[in-house]
Amino acid sequence: PLVSSIFELVRGASSSPFLAYVNADILLLPDFVDVTRQVASQLQHFLLVGQRWDLDITSPIDFSAGWQARLAGNIRDKGKLHPLGGSDYFIFPRECFTRIPDFAIGRAGWDNWMIYEARRCGWRAVDATQSIHLVHQSHDYSHLPNGQPHYRLPETFENVRLAGGARTILTLRDCDARCEHGEVLAATLSWKKFWRDVELFPLLRLHSYPLAQMAYGLFHPVRAYRELRAWLRKRENPEHTFAG
């Protein structure tokens, strides 16, 4: 299954002014819809993304009265906020993301591209971690080939290629706005954020991938060297794929 097909089918089956993608192992709370309406009242074009709470759920959930409060209590007591690498949900107006590359679902890379595309198009990429609370039901990777994490599988490397290359793999750190208490604010400023924006300037503002590569090499010389070495090894032995 392809991400492009999923989005196309949903567009054909719905006339809603907003669309959302949510991974199947996610539990939503009512703030998912509430925050969307609040953000839509402030922005015309946007992408809502955010971190999830990882939680071990080993028995059926009781959805009787008060379930939201009970689940919120479990999040506080036992939940762990997931790193900023990607997002398990995307909310956006239906006029956005009308073209999606043929990404493989269940593999890495395409969720990062969503943040890149929003930034590239000039839409606000809003980190709603503080406003939208959702739960990821923790699991292992035994369902994948050889039990490998999804980011080490060949389809992930193809996703990165379709995204336009490794420089387009953005994370929640690269959002240019945040949502707190229903209000859209500018992303929190820090020196780390400032220099990251400088690094991304050639890619997002000048739309130049070669300049983005040069900026990456300037800011991350060791990583850039490793990528170059892996690329050269791949040219010498094209039957093997190396991660960047």
Side-chain angles (χ1 to χ4, degrees), residues 17-224:
F18 306 106
L19 300 176
Y21 172 93
V22 186
N23 281 336
D25 51 10
I26 295 296
L27 294 170
L28 302 178
L29 294 169
D31 55 21
F32 190 81
V33 175
D34 297 339
V35 173
T36 300
R37 290 172 174 160
Q38 293 166 347
V39 171
S41 69
Q42 301 169 66
L43 298 174
Q44 181 178 3
H45 297 125
F46 61 86
L47 172 68
L48 270 176
V49 288
Q51 291 169 270
R52 72 196 194 200
W53 286 91
D54 292 324
L55 186 66
D56 288 325
I57 299 176
T58 58
S59 60
I61 297 175
D62 177 11
F63 285 106
S64 60
W67 70 269
Q68 298 101 322
R70 291 193 296 271
L71 184 57
N74 285 335
I75 293 174
R76 287 193 303 269
D77 296 339
K78 303 177 182 178
K80 182 179 180 181
L81 195 61
H82 197 75
L84 294 162
S87 181
D88 282 58
Y89 70 91
F90 307 93
I91 312 171
F92 52 90
R94 70 178 299 118
E95 62 265 26
C96 298
F97 296 102
T98 55
R99 292 186 178 182
I100 304 287
D102 291 334
F103 295 123
I105 195 68
R107 301 296 185 265
W110 77 269
D111 52 342
N112 308 94
W113 175 87
M114 295 285 288
I115 300 173
Y116 158 74
E117 181 69 0
R119 293 292 311 274
R120 186 188 71 84
C121 292
W123 310 328
R124 299 303 296 273
V126 183
D127 183 348
T129 300
Q130 299 301 317
S131 298
I132 294 179
H133 303 91
L134 48 77
V135 174
H136 170 258
Q137 302 176 85
S138 299
H139 58 80
D140 60 25
Y141 290 97
S142 60
H143 60 288
L144 296 178
N146 299 319
Q148 295 185 84
H150 62 294
Y151 51 81
R152 293 185 177 179
L153 294 173
E155 296 91 345
T156 287
F157 304 142
E158 177 64 8
N159 278 358
V160 173
R161 187 191 69 80
L162 290 171
R167 303 291 75 79
T168 67
I169 304 303
L170 304 192
T171 73
L172 294 170
R173 289 188 178 90
D174 301 315
C175 290
D176 60 346
R178 69 188 194 278
C179 180
E180 295 185 8
H181 307 294
E183 184 178 0
V184 177
L185 306 169
T188 302
L189 294 177
S190 66
W191 279 112
K192 188 174 183 179
K193 175 68 174 173
F194 171 78
W195 288 115
R196 175 61 173 165
D197 287 343
V198 171
E199 178 187 343
L200 291 176
F201 182 84
L203 182 68
L204 300 178
R205 293 293 176 261
L206 302 180
H207 304 293
S208 172
Y209 197 87
L211 288 178
Q213 287 282 49
M214 293 176 61
Y216 181 77
L218 179 65
F219 281 89
H220 311 283
V222 175
R223 295 180 189 174

Side-chain angles (χ1 to χ4, degrees), residues 2-24:
L2 301 176
V3 176
S4 55
S5 176
I6 294 172
F7 279 52
E8 182 180 356
L9 289 170
V10 169
R11 286 184 181 280
S14 170
S15 59
S16 170
F18 306 106
L19 300 176
Y21 172 93
V22 186
N23 281 336

